[in-house]
Amino acid sequence: EAIDSGTLKRLIEITAPGAGEPRITFTLPVLEASGRLKLHIEGADKKSVLDKALADGPEEEMPVRAVLRSATPVTLYWCP
């Protein structure tokens, strides 16, 4: 639901794998409306996740793919 381009919701509760508590996130339409997206990741583990996200595959498997594939420009920041 968070990556549904047709949703009217601005915020949504999600449960991320490995997270001990629910989180609140902006939906994709709200993020895209910002006009510019920035993604900051740290460490080798997250870099390998990013590499996987940049590869072919369904957005439902890795929701960050919806952001990376957005028509809104995305700037990536990676820190080892």
Side-chain angles (χ1 to χ4, degrees), residues 1 4 7 9 15-16 18-19 22 25-27 34 37 45-46 49-50 52-53 55-56 58 61 64-66 70 74:
E1 189 175 10
D4 179 359
T7 187
K9 294 182 179 180
T15 303
T25 188
F26 288 106
T27 59
S34 71
L37 300 170
D45 290 343
K46 292 290 185 178
V49 171
L50 174 63
K52 183 177 176 184
D56 290 336
E61 179 184 293
V64 70
R65 285 181 173 147
S70 173
V74 179

Side-chain angles (χ1 to χ4, degrees), residues 5 10 26-37 70-73:
S5 61
R10 299 182 54 77
F26 288 106
T27 59
L28 184 60
V30 172
L31 294 173
E32 290 177 324
S34 71
R36 169 132 331 253
L37 300 170
S70 173
T72 302

